[in-house]
Amino acid sequence: MPQTSISCDIPEIRITAPHDVMPNMSGEYVLYWMTAYRRTDSNYALQRAAQWSEELKKPLIILEPLRVGYRWANDRMHQFVVAGMRDNAIALQKENVTYYPYLEKKRGEGSGLIEALATKAAVVVGDEYPCFFLKHLPKWFAARASCRYEIVDSNGLMPLRIPDKIFTVAHSYRRFMQKQVDTLLAQRPLTKVLSHFQLPSPQPIAKEILRKWPMAEIAFNNKPFDWSDFDIDHSVAPTEMVGGRKEALRRWKNFLSLRSIRYDEDRNHPDTDGSSALSPYLHFGHISAHEMFFDVLEHENFRVEQLARPNGKVNGFWNVSPSIEAFLDQLLTWREIGFNQCFLDRHYDSYRSLPTWVRATLQKHAADKRDYVYSLAEFEEARTHDPVWNAAQRQLVKEGRIHNYLRMLWGKKILHWSRSPEEALDIMVELNNKYALDGRDPNSYSGIFWVLGRYDRPWGPERPIFGTIRYMSSDSTLKKIHLKKYLKNFES
Ligand SMILES: Cc1cc2nc3c(=O)[nH]c(=O)nc-3n(C[C@H](O)[C@H](O)[C@H](O)COP(=O)(O)OP(=O)(O)OC[C@H]3O[C@@H](n4cnc5c(N)ncnc54)[C@H](O)[C@@H]3O)c2cc1C
């Protein structure tokens, strides 16, 4: 008798069935549709698909597509994703699965692929991601799915469905998270997912499917891909940051063994930049928050007895070194509060999602005189009067990232020098998501909306334009943080 559920180690709260029917027992295979967790390890969705494959004794196909028709699709993002596909192709070479990387070249060419593959599938398992166009995929596909379709939440330590409200300040989210610590410590996807299962022999993709949607030829080297034939924005060039799991793990090991010790001191200074620079890898799913969390705890020889009572404070809960306490706060509180917002608020990316007090104070100052007003093009080309701001924008355009402290200043000044807060929001979203490798992420919206007051409180004195929204200036930034080298690096 086919079952709609199988016993598994994946917490049920992470599995949802948008098309909740029995597996199709005459289906030929189980299909894993990889769209957000682009990795072969530490991935609950792949784990779920492998479980179905073992249980139903049907081969596993992994489809990793990259389409062109999404907003901000450009050479930079595509190069990063393709590097991840290469790593997946290598990792899966010796596994009992069929890996099917697909690159859409022209808009619409990829349409119909997932439906065609699903026709012969027993079960389709997909990733659940609460932001950008991926947020809407499950509803779209559920209306078309011809077999059982499940989505799995492997985003972070806190399952998306545990909080039943949107948290408006970090302190209350942190306290909530600390109270769930037993759950966080108990849930961990398998590190090496596929080696855990007895999978049937792989099945080749049907010829008629490959004729219409040829498998991407992913070179097993790091050479830049030729994107000229692809319907994407070629004005945003790839950066030196190489995507993929191999590079993510290299950076992560390097951070853990060398740089994490000074994270709390070095992180805020662009000249020493002690942060992990892993946000693009987290964004594209090349590394998981789970592996980072458990590695960090192991690195600190953490024992459960060290835990303090939940108090919502940044320090003193995990009772590990100050640097790691600070790092865990970014990973568990600041990263995951954004997932909470995107998951529960369908207006997460619109101005109206801001708290009432924020909109009221910005509205009160909407007509205030602005000494400087720049257009999107002037911001984009770093043509403001402020060398610190221009340097940050140049780093974004060139490297696809901005140092975290300067990213806050970058946003605050866009608010300061735009015609209105609504226009400032549009400009931040456009520039961040177009150039930042970690853009189009729940954190993108946390950061950008934080600039406008989300997760914050009113700050005095009340000022022009900002009202009681927290203010930042380049002068005070120059006094507080070390950025001489940084300014030199990005002076033109
Ligand atoms: C205007 C603005 C826009 C932003 N846009 C993005 C974005 O598009 N994508 C993005 O991932 N982050 C964004 N952030 C948050 C933050 O700047 C980056 O997460 C951080 O700089 C990434 O660098 P890192 O990986 O070296 O972080 P680390 O300091 O090494 O921290 C580890 C991880 O914790 C999380 N994290 C760290 N700081 C924050 C933070 N302030 N908010 C949320 N999560 C955090 C990230 O996942 C990060 O990779 C934005 C912040 C602002 C102010």
Side-chain angles (χ1 to χ4, degrees):
M1 180 70 187
Q3 300 160 291
T4 53
S5 71
I6 43 175
S7 65
C8 69
D9 304 328
I10 304 172
E12 274 181 30
I13 199 160
R14 291 184 181 267
I15 305 173
T16 312
H19 192 55
D20 192 3
V21 295
M22 296 290 198
N24 172 10
M25 293 312 285
S26 55
E28 292 173 13
Y29 44 78
V30 170
L31 178 65
Y32 171 41
W33 183 17
M34 180 189 271
T35 54
Y37 323 133
R38 293 175 179 270
R39 59 180 178 269
T40 50
D41 302 332
S42 190
N43 175 349
Y44 272 133
L46 175 60
Q47 188 171 329
R48 177 69 173 172
Q51 274 168 340
W52 274 120
S53 167
E54 184 180 69
E55 175 85 12
L56 300 176
K57 300 191 175 41
K58 293 183 189 284
L60 178 58
I61 294 179
I62 301 176
L63 169 69
E64 186 179 5
L66 178 60
R67 47 184 286 245
V68 294
Y70 65 95
R71 193 173 168 199
W72 302 297
N74 59 42
D75 293 9
R76 175 172 297 177
M77 312 306 162
H78 277 228
Q79 184 64 36
F80 201 88
V81 174
V82 146
M85 287 177 156
R86 180 201 61 223
D87 289 354
N88 288 340
I90 294 170
L92 293 170
Q93 250 176 342
K94 295 202 180 99
E95 300 288 351
N96 244 355
V97 299
T98 307
Y99 175 59
Y100 182 2
Y102 173 72
L103 294 176
E104 183 185 55
K105 279 191 174 169
K106 306 285 170 208
R107 246 171 206 266
E109 262 181 18
S111 300
L113 168 58
I114 181 67
E115 293 98 315
L117 280 173
T119 324
K120 292 198 176 150
V123 180
V124 176
V125 178
D127 300 338
E128 177 167 35
Y129 188 72
C131 184
F132 200 39
F133 75 88
L134 297 180
K135 181 179 172 83
H136 309 291
L137 277 190
K139 195 167 168 209
W140 173 86
F141 186 60
R144 289 158 179 80
S146 47
C147 65
R148 181 169 182 77
Y149 168 44
E150 295 181 347
I151 49 173
V152 181
D153 164 18
S154 200
N155 293 293
L157 277 297
M158 179 77 73
L160 291 173
R161 285 180 182 72
I162 287 193
D164 59 5
K165 65 169 192 171
I166 297 171
F167 286 86
T168 54
V169 289
H171 182 272
S172 60
Y173 180 81
R174 191 179 293 113
R175 193 151 183 272
F176 178 83
M177 177 271 290
Q178 292 170 347
K179 285 187 183 165
Q180 304 291 327
V181 70
D182 290 349
T183 304
L184 307 193
L185 290 169
Q187 297 189 359
R188 182 177 188 173
L190 295 166
T191 309
K192 296 275 165 220
V193 177
L194 293 173
S195 58
H196 197 79
F197 296 92
Q198 300 286 327
L199 300 182
S201 302
Q203 164 166 335
I205 310 287
K207 283 202 180 81
E208 64 276 14
I209 291 196
L210 288 178
R211 250 194 309 274
K212 196 158 179 202
W213 298 283
M215 197 176 280
E217 282 170 32
I218 308 281
F220 285 179
N221 60 37
N222 251 340
K223 284 212 185 108
F225 212 82
D226 178 6
W227 296 109
S228 52
D229 276 357
F230 287 69
D231 269 353
I232 54 177
D233 178 0
H234 303 303
S235 71
V236 185
T239 71
E240 282 175 7
M241 199 175 220
V242 177
R245 183 154 177 79
K246 196 171 151 212
E247 178 64 11
L249 294 180
R250 189 193 68 77
R251 283 171 182 262
W252 175 234
K253 285 201 181 102
N254 179 282
F255 174 78
L256 207 53
S257 57
L258 301 174
R259 296 158 70 197
S260 60
I261 304 166
R262 293 179 52 89
Y263 178 79
D264 57 342
E265 275 177 45
D266 287 353
R267 170 173 195 251
N268 274 337
H269 301 287
D271 283 354
T272 41
D273 192 0
S275 64
S276 70
L278 277 164
S279 52
Y281 302 89
L282 278 164
H283 170 69
F284 287 111
H286 294 160
I287 193 165
S288 80
H290 277 99
E291 50 196 338
M292 290 166 77
F293 174 67
F294 285 104
D295 280 358
V296 153
L297 293 187
E298 194 179 313
H299 187 256
E300 291 283 296
N301 295 320
F302 168 81
R303 286 168 296 106
V304 176
E305 302 81 65
Q306 282 170 235
L307 287 174
R309 289 163 69 90
N311 57 15
K313 293 199 178 134
V314 178
N315 294 310
F317 176 69
W318 300 96
N319 276 314
V320 287
S321 64
S323 270
I324 295 304
E325 197 102 35
F327 184 78
L328 285 173
D329 196 51
Q330 299 304 338
L331 194 66
L332 297 180
T333 303
W334 284 106
R335 178 170 184 269
E336 301 207 351
I337 198 173
F339 279 78
N340 163 254
Q341 177 94 31
C342 290
F343 181 62
L344 292 179
D345 182 0
R346 66 196 172 97
H347 302 297
Y348 69 87
D349 57 352
S350 75
Y351 189 78
R352 70 171 137 152
S353 71
L354 283 167
T356 317
W357 72 267
V358 166
R359 279 178 289 136
T361 191
L362 289 173
Q363 176 60 33
K364 188 174 160 199
H365 292 273
D368 289 356
K369 180 173 175 300
R370 272 108 171 117
D371 289 336
Y372 302 95
V373 174
Y374 297 110
S375 64
L376 172 63
E378 286 168 318
F379 279 122
E380 186 161 15
E381 289 157 21
R383 284 193 278 128
T384 78
H385 62 286
D386 181 338
V388 178
W389 194 92
N390 291 346
Q393 173 64 18
R394 286 194 198 105
Q395 185 191 16
L396 177 63
V397 171
K398 191 167 170 225
E399 296 187 346
R401 60 187 298 257
I402 307 186
H403 179 271
N404 179 58
Y405 193 96
L406 293 178
R407 208 168 193 176
M408 297 190 269
L409 179 76
W410 174 88
K412 290 287 181 187
K413 294 292 112 179
I414 294 179
L415 172 60
H416 204 168
W417 304 326
S418 293
R419 254 176 291 271
S420 67
E422 289 88 343
E423 188 170 311
L425 170 61
D426 290 346
I427 292 173
M428 282 190 277
V429 169
E430 175 62 21
L431 296 180
N432 189 79
N433 287 354
K434 178 173 174 182
Y435 290 103
L437 278 163
D438 62 9
R440 308 150 313 278
D441 187 273
N443 286 356
S444 318
Y445 296 94
S446 304
I448 289 167
F449 279 83
W450 173 86
V451 164
L452 299 169
R454 185 186 279 171
Y455 304 133
D456 215 348
R457 62 171 171 85
W459 290 77
E462 189 161 345
R463 295 169 186 270
I465 305 168
F466 283 76
T468 53
I469 304 295
R470 187 197 296 246
Y471 179 80
M472 284 174 77
S473 79
S474 298
D475 284 348
S476 63
T477 300
L478 276 167
K479 282 184 205 136
K480 268 195 216 150
I481 64 175
H482 312 310
L483 79 171
K484 262 197 199 133
K485 264 198 301 186
Y486 180 91
L487 289 178
K488 187 111 198 75
N489 254 347
F490 297 105
E491 71 188 345
S492 58

